[in-house]
Amino acid sequence: MCAEIKGTANTPPEGSSPAEITYGQITINTRPYWSTAQSESQDLVDEATFEALAKRFNDTDFAGTTERCMTLPMMYVQTESLNIVSDNDYDAAHPAGTSLNDLFLVKYVCVDDILKPPYNFKGTDEQNESGFPAWMFKDEVSAFNLRKPTLIQFNFTFYPKVQPDQNGIHRFTITYTNIEGKVLNATTGALNLAGRQS
C-alpha cells in the first residue's frame, strides 16, 4: 500500500524552500500501488471470481453493471480496522502515535449493499447531496470501523475534520487490517501542516 498527501499551500514567504511551505488543507490518498496506471488497471478486476461467487451463493439474477464501481480491485475479505496516526502531536488529546480516527473522514467505495438483492443503485439523500453514487461513502474513520465493510475498493482518501493545535511537521501512517489478520500500512512523506493557533 502507498500513501501520498495532496494539499493547498498557504502563501509562502518569498524565497522559501519547499520544506518551509505550510499547508492549510490536505487530503491523504492511499492505493494498492505507487503507479496510478497499475491501480486503475481493469486487469486487476477478477471477473471470474465475481461469477464464481455469484454462482456459489445462488445469486445469478443480477442485471446491473459493476463497470463504474469496480475499476479498482474489490476485496472479498471483511475489514477489521482502518487507522490513521501521526508521528507528531495533533492536539492535547491526540499525542504522537495515538489514533486520529475521530478527527479524520475517509472517502471510500463499498458495494456491500448494492451487490445483494434487491440491487439498490439509488444513493441515499446524503450521497445525493454530496454528488456521490450509491457505492461511494464519506464517514469518520471510526464510523468506517464500526461498519467493517467487505466488498470494498482498495483506495481511500482521508480528510482532517480539524487542523492540529499548532503548526508542525507530520508524517501520517495508515494501517488497514482484515479479519484474517492481513495488515497493510503506508506512511506519507513529511508535511508542514498549519495549526489552528498559528
Side-chain angles (χ1 to χ4, degrees):
M1 180 166 80
C2 63
E4 62 184 3
I5 294 178
K6 294 182 180 179
T8 304
N10 294 343
T11 305
E14 193 169 326
S16 298
S17 71
E20 296 170 314
I21 296 174
T22 301
Y23 286 82
Q25 296 178 346
I26 62 163
T27 60
I28 304 170
N29 297 304
T30 62
R31 59 180 190 264
Y33 303 99
W34 280 110
S35 161
T36 303
Q38 280 182 313
S39 292
E40 297 178 353
S41 170
Q42 289 287 343
D43 295 338
L44 294 172
V45 178
D46 189 348
E47 294 178 12
T49 300
F50 181 88
E51 294 296 329
L53 287 170
K55 288 177 184 174
R56 177 177 161 196
F57 292 102
N58 195 27
D59 192 11
T60 56
D61 295 329
F62 178 67
T65 176
T66 59
E67 181 179 343
R68 289 179 62 206
C69 57
M70 293 181 71
T71 56
L72 286 179
M74 300 300 292
M75 292 182 282
Y76 292 86
V77 178
Q78 186 176 16
T79 299
E80 179 61 36
S81 64
L82 184 65
N83 293 292
I84 179 168
V85 300
S86 173
D87 68 343
N88 196 355
D89 295 346
Y90 206 85
D91 59 27
H94 301 83
T98 60
S99 172
L100 300 176
N101 291 353
D102 59 326
L103 299 183
F104 274 75
L105 299 172
V106 61
K107 185 169 78 172
Y108 61 99
V109 166
C110 177
V111 294
D112 279 347
D113 294 335
I114 65 173
L115 290 187
K116 64 184 178 186
Y119 306 116
N120 182 12
F121 277 78
K122 293 182 180 177
T124 64
D125 289 343
E126 187 177 86
Q127 287 171 314
N128 293 333
E129 286 173 15
S130 298
F132 290 171
W135 52 85
M136 186 172 288
F137 300 87
K138 191 176 190 180
D139 294 317
E140 266 190 13
V141 178
S142 51
F144 173 95
N145 287 333
L146 289 173
R147 185 174 183 183
K148 296 185 182 294
T150 298
L151 292 168
I152 191 166
Q153 190 182 80
F154 201 89
N155 193 28
F156 306 111
T157 303
F158 296 85
Y159 306 84
K161 294 187 343 183
V162 295
Q163 296 297 105
D165 274 351
Q166 306 287 339
N167 286 2
I169 303 294
H170 292 265
R171 290 173 187 81
F172 294 97
T173 297
I174 313 295
T175 304
Y176 166 85
T177 307
N178 70 28
I179 60 169
E180 294 180 350
K182 176 74 172 178
V183 178
L184 300 173
N185 58 55
T187 300
T188 67
L191 178 95
N192 194 7
L193 187 56
R196 285 172 276 180
Q197 300 172 13
S198 59

